């Protein structure tokens, strides 16, 4: 009994000392993470979970620091896994997309004056951490301006690993906790690359504290050749382009090259500008946004660069986020923009997208390596109404892995209706989400929550309509 009493007294004294400026025990500042606690956001409804946000410096010499936002689970957070969400672009914000319109607990109203609850938030099942990566995305910054023009896949993966190592030092209660990485689009590069970094890092430790158990990527950029081939195939099979244009693209475009020819570009441009019509390419069966996106969708002269520009962009809902996160009171509540960044917060960084450097032509070798060596739980999913990184592209890439089928193709269910279709392979599970666009949790939130639940549990998606 007295032991428990003394423990309680010690905790009270520690918290009092922290509030007075912190206490150091054994060289480690106790409760350092409490400095990042978010008491509440402007216009936020009351919630039962804790939030933390702030910066982790990943490169002292260049002054690179990454911004994160942790939203703990709604119930029994101490026993729930940790899930890192990454959006792609490259150069798009996980706060803008993942947190604010996909899997986070809050949604922003149209006037950017208040928040409301997302009933299908993934923090019902896990503690969620959203990372704005690389430096230059959202609130993440660098004091070396050249970093904005020489960033690529390798630095992004390395900085993300450094972020995690330092973040776990700040949040020791999450060390050894089951951890997963999820995300979408160009995070099809980020996530497997980071998973490989973590796997290699852990091999050097006798007791790894980053307890990575698996990852899941949606509408994932995977292999330039098969992604491009599968995208054109999707356009044709969904009647978005004519037979003539389809065959002209196949004859004149060599997708095995890093850059396409001017002739190829002209046919791609004709398809996108003349034959698509006024549609939302991220969700071809829903109404497009009324305003001009200004994202270069129709003006890109290179097919590959055009797809990089498209990925991760939603022209309507992001505008609410840009209004909200540029508010000074919101930034203060999130401990964001503490250095006075010289530019406004945006959902995607044009300068990063335009100047992206190293980009792996194919991520398939990483999948092969991790499937064979790591034992990680790996899932890929596709919203089947996305024409930007479509389901056909992912299926073409998966076929090249030559994986053994464990559970053959079948429909999966949620709320007594078909949620999509799935197939389980040796080392990887693939699922489609029926009627969902590029941002699956935005278009099919309830189905996405079921997908996430099955992924975390390691169970197959429900095969009967009673679920």
């Amino acid at each position: 009994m007295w032991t428990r009493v003394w423990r309680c007294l010690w905790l009270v004294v520690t918290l009092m000392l922290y509030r007075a400026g912190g206490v150091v025990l054994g060289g480690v500042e106790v409760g350092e993470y409490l400095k990042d606690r978010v008491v509440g956001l402007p216009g936020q409804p009351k919630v039962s979970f804790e939030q933390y946000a702030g910066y982790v410096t990943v490169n002292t010499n260049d002054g690179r620091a990454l911004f994160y936002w942790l939203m703990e689970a709604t119930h029994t957070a101490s026993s729930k896994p940790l899930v890192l969400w990454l959006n792609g672009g490259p150069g798009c914000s996980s706060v803008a997309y993942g947190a604010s319109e996909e899997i986070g607990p809050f949604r922003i109203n149209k006037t950017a004056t208040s928040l409301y609850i997302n009933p299908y938030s993934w923090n019902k099942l896990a503690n969620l951490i959203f990372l704005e990566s690389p430096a230059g995305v959202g609130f993440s910054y660098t004091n070396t301006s050249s970093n904005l023009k020489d960033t690529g896949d390798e630095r992004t993966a390395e900085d993300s690993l450094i972020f995690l190592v330092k973040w776990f030092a700040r949040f020791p209660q999450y060390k050894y906790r089951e951890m997963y990485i999820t995300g979408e689009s160009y995070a099809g590069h980020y996530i497997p690359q980071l998973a490989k970094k973590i796997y290699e890092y852990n091999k050097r430790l006798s007791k790894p504290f980053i307890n990575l158990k698996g990852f899941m990527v949606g509408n994932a950029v995977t292999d330039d050749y098969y992604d491009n081939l599968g995208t054109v195939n999707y356009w044709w099979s969904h009647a978005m382009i004519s037979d003539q244009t389809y065959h002209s693209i196949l004859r004149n475009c060599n997708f095995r090259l890093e850059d396409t020819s001017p002739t190829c570009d002209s046919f791609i441009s004709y398809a996108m500008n003349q034959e698509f019509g006024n549609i939302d390419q991220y969700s071809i069966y829903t109404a497009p946004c009324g305003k001009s996106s200004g994202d270069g969708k129709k003006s890109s002269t290179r097919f590959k660069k055009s797809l990089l520009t498209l990925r991760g962009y939603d022209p309507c809902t992001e505008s609410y986020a840009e209004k909200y996160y540029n508010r000074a009171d919101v930034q203060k509540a999130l401990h964001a923009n503490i250095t006075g960044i010289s530019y406004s917060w945006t959902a995607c960084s044009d300068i990063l997208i335009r100047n992206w450097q190293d980009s792996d032509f194919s991520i398939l070798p990483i999948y092969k390596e991790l499937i064979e060596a790591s034992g990680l739980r790996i899932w890929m999913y596709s919203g089947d109404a996305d024409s930007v990184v479509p389901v056909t592209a992912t299926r073409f890439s998966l076929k090249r892995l030559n994986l053994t089928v464990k559970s053959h193709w079948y429909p999966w269910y949620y709320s007594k209706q078909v949620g999509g279709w799935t197939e389980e392979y040796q080392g990887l599970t693939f699922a489609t989400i029926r009627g969902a666009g590029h941002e699956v949790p935005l278009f099919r939130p309830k189905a996405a929550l079921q997908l996430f639940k099955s992924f975390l549990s390691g169970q197959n998606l429900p095969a009967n309509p009673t679920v």
Side-chain angles (χ1 to χ4, degrees):
M1 174 181 174
W2 284 107
T3 300
R4 289 197 296 270
V5 171
W6 280 113
R7 284 177 179 170
C8 291
L9 286 172
W10 179 86
L11 179 60
V12 170
V13 172
T14 296
L15 290 173
M16 289 175 64
L17 287 170
Y18 163 74
R19 293 187 179 108
V23 59
V24 175
L25 296 177
V28 177
E29 188 175 350
V30 176
E32 182 184 358
Y33 69 93
L34 291 174
K35 296 176 182 177
D36 290 352
R37 184 170 179 265
V38 176
V39 178
L41 295 168
Q44 176 201 300
K46 289 184 178 180
V47 294
S48 62
F49 57 87
E50 296 291 339
Q51 303 176 69
Y52 301 86
Y55 287 94
V56 172
T57 299
V58 295
N59 187 291
T60 304
N61 290 335
D62 286 359
R64 290 201 302 276
L66 301 184
F67 179 80
Y68 81 90
W69 186 0
L70 171 68
M71 302 172 183
E72 293 193 321
T74 55
H75 302 286
T76 60
S78 61
S79 63
K80 294 289 198 305
L82 176 68
V83 173
L84 171 67
W85 174 276
L86 300 173
N87 276 93
C92 292
S93 166
S94 297
V95 169
Y97 296 102
S100 301
E101 60 182 52
E102 295 189 76
I103 70 167
F106 302 125
R107 293 288 180 268
I108 304 169
N109 72 356
K110 293 183 178 181
T111 59
T113 56
S114 65
L115 306 176
Y116 59 97
I117 295 296
N118 168 24
Y120 304 107
S121 173
W122 287 12
N123 79 326
K124 292 177 179 293
L125 304 175
N127 302 285
L128 305 179
I129 180 169
F130 300 92
L131 177 64
E132 293 194 307
S133 175
V137 173
F139 293 122
S140 295
Y141 67 88
T142 176
N143 293 328
T144 305
S145 58
S146 60
N147 284 171
L148 301 177
K149 295 184 178 181
D150 61 13
T151 296
D153 285 10
E154 177 60 28
R155 179 188 292 164
T156 300
E158 185 63 31
D159 280 1
S160 294
L161 174 62
I162 294 170
F163 166 84
L164 285 174
V165 171
K166 291 189 172 185
W167 188 87
F168 277 107
R170 187 178 301 179
F171 287 82
Q173 65 270 38
Y174 280 99
K175 286 185 175 181
Y176 313 109
R177 187 89 60 96
E178 281 195 7
M179 178 187 170
Y180 300 89
I181 311 174
T182 61
E184 67 192 22
S185 197
Y186 198 80
H189 279 217
Y190 295 164
I191 292 173
Q193 289 165 344
L194 177 57
K196 181 181 177 181
K197 291 280 187 184
I198 295 172
Y199 172 68
E200 292 171 344
Y201 178 79
N202 283 347
K203 286 197 297 184
R204 303 196 298 266
L205 303 178
S206 58
K207 190 178 180 183
F209 57 87
I210 305 179
N211 186 17
L212 182 64
K213 291 295 186 180
F215 63 85
M216 178 171 69
V217 194
N219 292 81
V221 179
T222 304
D223 179 281
D224 285 357
Y225 174 72
Y226 293 107
D227 284 354
N228 290 337
L229 194 65
T231 298
V232 175
N233 182 279
Y234 185 93
W235 293 350
W236 176 77
S237 63
H238 286 71
M240 295 169 65
I241 61 174
S242 65
D243 292 355
Q244 182 179 359
T245 299
Y246 172 67
H247 292 298
S248 295
I249 291 173
L250 294 184
R251 280 197 307 268
N252 290 280
C253 295
N254 185 351
F255 295 133
R256 295 191 183 279
L257 300 178
E258 184 173 348
D259 288 314
T260 53
S261 68
T263 303
C264 171
D265 292 339
S266 67
F267 285 111
I268 295 293
S269 178
Y270 181 80
M272 298 176 73
N273 285 285
Q274 303 300 321
E275 295 189 336
F276 279 14
N278 184 25
I279 64 169
D280 183 347
Q281 296 171 39
Y282 290 91
S283 181
I284 64 173
Y285 300 122
T286 56
C289 181
K291 73 180 182 71
S292 174
S293 67
D295 69 339
K297 288 182 181 180
K298 303 287 181 82
S299 61
S300 178
T301 59
R302 294 294 181 188
F303 183 45
K304 182 179 175 182
K305 292 295 183 184
S306 176
L307 288 184
L308 288 178
T309 303
L310 280 166
R311 288 164 183 156
Y313 184 81
D314 182 343
C316 280
T317 54
E318 74 169 26
S319 64
Y320 314 148
E322 292 194 352
K323 291 178 184 176
Y324 188 74
Y325 294 117
N326 274 301
R327 288 174 50 176
D329 55 348
V330 173
Q331 293 178 5
K332 183 178 180 180
L334 286 171
H335 318 123
N337 197 16
I338 57 176
T339 60
I341 299 171
S342 61
Y343 47 85
S344 297
W345 184 96
T346 58
C348 293
S349 168
D350 288 339
I351 189 170
L352 282 170
I353 292 175
R354 290 195 307 267
N355 295 281
W356 197 255
Q357 297 300 305
D358 60 294
S359 177
D360 282 352
F361 190 87
S362 178
I363 305 298
L364 293 178
I366 298 180
Y367 276 100
K368 289 180 180 179
E369 178 182 349
L370 293 178
I371 288 171
E372 292 172 2
S374 69
L376 294 174
R377 182 182 307 153
I378 301 173
W379 282 36
M380 297 179 75
Y381 64 90
S382 288
D384 63 13
D386 175 28
S387 73
V388 178
V389 191
V391 61
T392 45
T394 301
R395 295 182 77 178
F396 282 9
S397 292
L398 280 176
K399 186 174 177 61
R400 303 306 301 174
L401 290 174
N402 295 315
L403 300 174
T404 301
V405 177
K406 290 177 62 178
S407 298
H408 286 275
W409 194 266
Y410 68 88
W412 66 272
Y413 290 84
Y414 77 100
S415 299
K416 299 183 180 181
Q417 60 180 307
V418 173
W421 291 264
T422 183
E423 189 159 67
E424 183 188 10
Y425 304 96
Q426 190 70 43
L428 186 147
T429 295
F430 174 65
T432 72
I433 296 81
R434 186 166 67 103
H438 189 68
E439 297 174 78
V440 167
L442 172 64
F443 292 102
R444 291 290 185 270
K446 193 171 183 180
L449 186 61
Q450 177 61 60
L451 176 81
F452 183 56
K453 181 179 180 181
S454 296
F455 167 70
L456 286 183
S457 67
Q459 302 296 316
N460 288 346
L461 285 157
N464 65 77
T466 60
V467 175

